[in-house]
Amino acid sequence: MPFALALTVILVLLAVFQLALVFGAPLGRFAWGGQHRVLPARLRIGSAVSILIYALIDVIAWDRVGAVDVFPAPFSEIAMWVIFGYFTLGILMNAVSRSKPERYMMVPVSVALSVLSFLIAMGMGELAAAA
């Protein structure tokens, strides 16, 4: 469960960051390609959707480790591999960003999320494994 907890902490911090973007914080250089100081409406909507996606990812991760029982086991197992792919793709997407602040901040975050989601997808940290 420590991997799911670490994933949750990072996702909560990202959700707070995205919420700040939604409300117009001048942090746009760290997100969405770094082209805007304050995000335009369409990207603010994207940030709001990101928060919902983070919440879903978190529920799937906790389901996968057995802390909650929301989805059938095959779903959470497959979904965690999809999430791993999503975060791994995020490494690449953030690495090619034109925004240096985005690259410097989000590449390490994406690496951490990718590694944690890989460990969770592999079944490490499951409650049953601890018993």
Side-chain angles (χ1 to χ4, degrees):
M1 281 202 326
F3 303 129
L5 181 58
L7 186 80
T8 297
V9 168
I10 295 170
L11 291 175
V12 166
L13 292 172
L14 282 173
V16 169
F17 169 69
Q18 294 289 357
L19 191 61
L21 291 172
V22 167
F23 286 108
L27 301 170
R29 68 184 177 278
F30 295 104
W32 301 106
Q35 302 300 313
H36 306 278
R37 184 172 168 273
V38 175
L39 297 183
R42 66 182 173 78
L43 293 179
R44 289 182 190 200
I45 292 168
S47 286
V49 170
S50 293
I51 295 168
L52 298 174
I53 292 170
Y54 298 155
L56 178 61
I57 288 169
D58 203 40
V59 171
I60 292 168
W62 285 105
D63 188 84
R64 176 68 179 107
V65 300
V68 299
D69 187 17
V70 178
F71 304 107
F75 175 84
S76 60
E77 291 169 11
I78 293 168
M80 275 312 303
W81 285 109
V82 171
I83 291 164
F84 165 67
Y86 173 77
F87 287 137
T88 302
L89 180 61
I91 296 169
L92 176 65
M93 298 305 290
N94 286 303
V96 300
S97 173
R98 293 181 185 171
S99 167
K100 281 186 183 181
E102 183 177 23
R103 282 196 311 266
Y104 294 152
M105 184 176 98
M106 295 309 294
V107 168
V109 170
S110 296
V111 168
L113 290 169
S114 181
V115 168
L116 290 167
S117 62
F118 174 78
L119 294 170
I120 295 167
M122 288 292 296
M124 297 181 174
E126 288 182 53
L127 286 178

